[in-house]
Amino acid sequence: MRALSVSEPWGFDQIKVVEAPDPTPGPGEVLVRMRAVSLNYRDMLMVMGMYGRGSATAPAPITPFSDGCGVVEAVGPGVTRVKPGDRVASLFFQAWNSGPPTLEKLSSALGFPIPGVGRELAVLSQDGVSKVPDFLTDQQVATLPCAALTAWRALFEDGDLKPGDTVVLQGTGGVSIFGLQFAHAAGCRTLITSSSDEKLQRAKALGADELINYREVAEWAKPVREATGGVGTDLIIEVGGGGTIEQSMRAIKIGGHIAIIGVVAGPGSGFNPVGLIGNSAKLQGVSVGSREMFEAMCRAIELHRIQPVVDKVFPWTEVAAAFTAMQGGQHFGKIVLEL
Ligand SMILES: NC(=O)c1ccc[n+]([C@@H]2O[C@H](COP(=O)([O-])OP(=O)(O)OC[C@H]3O[C@@H](n4cnc5c(N)ncnc54)[C@H](OP(=O)(O)O)[C@@H]3O)[C@@H](O)[C@H]2O)c1
């Protein structure tokens, strides 16, 4: 079989397609023939050598990608959860079935430290795969394990969102577009920011209620407060990090919930936590989610016939071009590689 492989010197152009022996599933393992994988910001950092470096356990070379869709080709002894022919998604955490996160569960992420699914054949734990809704395409399934589950957990597992609540989504990347689709389906009011008016119109077509261009309106907390009668928003999907947290602190309502997810807006000028005293807001870090959460999310996707947004598709051998597109920020939703 062939697999993607990257090591020092890092970089999109350094990702190679290498030959490797076909793997065999051991006890409790499944052999999956991969059909599609999706790109996450984390994968981009990984192949640039900016993720998880310095760890004594860092595997080199890396096989990137946590998120994939494939078909079970064979199972090892003792496998009961899936059978040959089942279509499955790889799960971001291979050992987080349910319950709260622990160090052990969070140490089982695909791509790093566990070799990822950027390969024709992957052996995964039977706990690390999940069957998926039939109505989704392979490309759509490949978008679910990280971006979709992160948004789902932030909104409904940690955030305790209710119909009629207001949610702010930052930008139109993978996590935020899933957040928009889920919050809209749940009967929430959605406010989305973007650097592009054209992307904002695409978000409107998916149900966004209020649109804010953060390039034109750097202090976007103001329109959020205006749109909520001065109260502020119930929940914010905070993918910007240091560069956006100050505005989020101004936009959140008293007792609201800021889901701390990403870092795309750079480090910013420093975070002053004193505002939290006055507004009693909650800041909660999010790292994807469990298999149980993934299954709950898939039930909702099936019920509401939610269509994950696959914006660009590349052959997997053109992985460098796909990462270049992601780095350029031209995408809306997800970028997928077909195997
Ligand atoms: N904690 C977790 O479990 C978890 C899981 C998934 C992702 N993440 C992290 O979450 C972040 C987003 O991931 P993603 O996969 O959605 O990335 P993505 O698909 O690459 O989307 C990034 C988007 O961020 C938007 N953006 C950039 N600067 C911004 C700013 N100053 N204000 C608001 N939006 C801005 C851009 O939207 P426009 O083009 O519309 O301007 C861009 O398209 C990354 O840092 C990623 O590592 C964390």
Side-chain angles (χ1 to χ4, degrees), residues 6-263:
V6 60
S7 56
E8 275 190 279
W10 305 99
F12 304 161
D13 293 334
Q14 302 298 328
I15 308 169
K16 297 181 176 63
V17 179
V18 298
E19 291 286 339
D22 285 3
T24 309
E29 291 179 336
V30 299
L31 178 68
V32 182
R33 184 166 290 277
M34 302 308 302
R35 288 179 167 177
V37 297
S38 81
L39 275 64
N40 285 296
Y41 198 82
R42 167 183 183 263
D43 301 306
M44 188 174 77
L45 296 179
M46 209 178 287
V47 302
M48 291 167 82
M50 295 164 67
Y51 187 93
R53 276 199 301 176
S55 163
T57 57
I62 283 173
T63 299
F65 299 118
S66 54
D67 294 13
C69 173
V71 174
V72 175
E73 199 153 281
V75 298
V79 169
T80 54
R81 295 194 59 252
V82 292
K83 59 183 186 320
D86 285 345
R87 192 173 68 138
V88 295
S90 54
L91 296 178
F92 187 90
F93 289 118
Q94 290 287 289
W96 185 6
N97 295 341
S98 60
T102 62
L103 180 59
E104 190 188 356
K105 293 170 183 173
L106 297 190
S107 301
S108 66
L110 273 182
F112 182 87
I114 296 178
V117 288
R119 45 188 160 142
E120 289 173 319
L121 289 169
V123 165
L124 303 170
S125 161
Q126 68 165 331
D127 287 332
V129 296
S130 182
K131 287 189 242 180
V132 287
D134 287 340
F135 81 97
L136 298 176
T137 66
D138 295 339
Q139 295 171 4
Q140 289 175 320
V141 168
T143 67
L144 300 179
C146 178
L149 185 53
T150 301
W152 173 268
R153 174 181 164 195
L155 296 175
F156 306 116
E157 303 279 348
D158 296 346
D160 195 24
L161 202 64
K162 295 179 185 60
D165 284 354
T166 300
V167 182
V168 168
L169 296 314
Q170 295 180 349
T172 58
V175 174
S176 295
I177 292 302
F178 274 116
L180 168 64
Q181 292 177 293
F182 293 152
H184 180 66
C188 296
R189 185 175 180 215
T190 53
L191 291 79
I192 191 161
T193 71
S194 177
S195 56
S196 152
D197 288 339
E198 187 242 318
K199 289 183 180 181
L200 287 172
Q201 288 307 319
R202 291 180 71 181
K204 189 174 182 181
L206 291 175
D209 296 299
E210 304 283 341
L211 314 174
I212 304 169
N213 187 318
Y214 65 80
R215 285 260 164 80
E216 290 167 9
V217 187
E219 303 217 335
W220 51 263
K222 279 186 189 163
V224 172
R225 294 205 83 87
E226 282 164 17
T228 53
V231 172
T233 182
D234 295 279
L235 193 143
I236 298 175
I237 295 289
E238 173 61 72
V239 297
T244 45
I245 187 70
E246 197 185 318
Q247 286 299 304
S248 292
M249 292 280 289
R250 292 174 197 266
I252 197 74
K253 83 168 190 187
I254 291 174
H257 183 110
I258 303 176
I260 305 292
I261 293 173
V263 294

Side-chain angles (χ1 to χ4, degrees), residues 293-313:
M293 295 176 199
F294 185 90
E295 289 165 352
M297 176 185 79
C298 285
R299 286 194 294 275
I301 287 174
E302 186 139 38
L303 181 68
H304 293 282
R305 286 292 194 265
I306 290 172
Q307 298 282 347
V309 180
V310 176
D311 192 41
K312 297 186 193 310
V313 181

